[in-house]
Structures are given as C-alpha cells and as structure tokens.
C-alpha cells in the first residue's frame, strides 16, 4: 500500500491524479484483509476487544492523517502528502516486521 501511494505524488493535475488514486485504491483491500487475518491469528479469546482497538486506532489514524495531509498539502504541496503517507506506512511495516522477527526468535 505504501508503494501504491507514491505514483499519485507525481500527478500534475486532477485528471492525472484520478486514475492513479484508483490504482492505489486497489491495494487497500488486500491491506485490510491482511490486517484482519493477522488479527485472527494473533487473538483467539479476545478477538472482539482486539477488533475494537483496531477500528479505534484506524479512526484515530484517519483523523490525524487527514489533518496532517491537509496541512502538508496547503504548506508544501499535494505530492508531499502522498510521500509522507507512504513514508508512514513504510515505517509501520518495518516496525511490524522487526517486531515479528523479534517475537519469532
């Protein structure tokens, strides 16, 4: 999903941006499915509570991301908001992979 958000940063206008956002949107479904599959694998007896925390953090992340994206777009440009979103997702993925490697060891 992080890589799918980089091409929209290169868009020169709304007409160029629209199809790039559609393509980036195709990555959202698999990312969401992976999240909930991981949730099922990690939690067994407290899945309802875990689901609640996932949806709460997703809503909070969307709110903070929208505010940060709006600020970034206004101050720097639309491209910067997509690059920042991609960077945040790459950082989260690296953290998760590191956490998983540490837990497996």
């Amino acid at each position: 999903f992080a890589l799918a958000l980089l091409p929209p940063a290169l868009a020169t206008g709304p007409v160029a941006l629209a199809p790039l956002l559609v393509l980036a949107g195709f990555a959202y479904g698999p990312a969401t499915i992976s999240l909930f599959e991981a949730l099922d694998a990690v939690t067994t007896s407290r899945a309802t509570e875990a689901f609640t925390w996932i949806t709460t953090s997703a809503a909070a992340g969307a709110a903070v991301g929208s505010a940060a994206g709006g600020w970034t777009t206004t101050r720097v440009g639309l491209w910067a908001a997509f690059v920042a979103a991609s960077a945040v997702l790459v950082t989260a993925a690296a953290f998760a992979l590191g956490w998983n490697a540490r837990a497996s060891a």
Side-chain angles (χ1 to χ4, degrees):
F1 192 42
L3 295 176
L5 288 176
L6 287 177
L10 303 174
T12 56
V15 174
L17 180 62
L20 294 174
L21 287 178
V22 169
L23 291 174
F26 285 128
Y28 186 75
T32 304
I33 290 168
S34 298
L35 169 69
F36 287 109
E37 286 297 319
L39 180 70
D40 281 343
V42 172
T43 62
T44 53
S45 63
R46 301 185 73 147
T48 302
E49 181 183 356
F51 179 78
T52 302
W53 280 110
I54 291 290
T55 54
T56 300
S57 61
V64 170
S66 294
W71 185 89
T72 303
T73 299
T74 302
R75 302 279 188 306
V76 182
L78 182 59
W79 67 271
F82 285 111
V83 171
S86 184
V88 167
L89 288 170
V90 166
T91 302
F95 177 79
L97 289 171
W99 184 281
N100 189 33
R102 186 176 301 157
S104 297

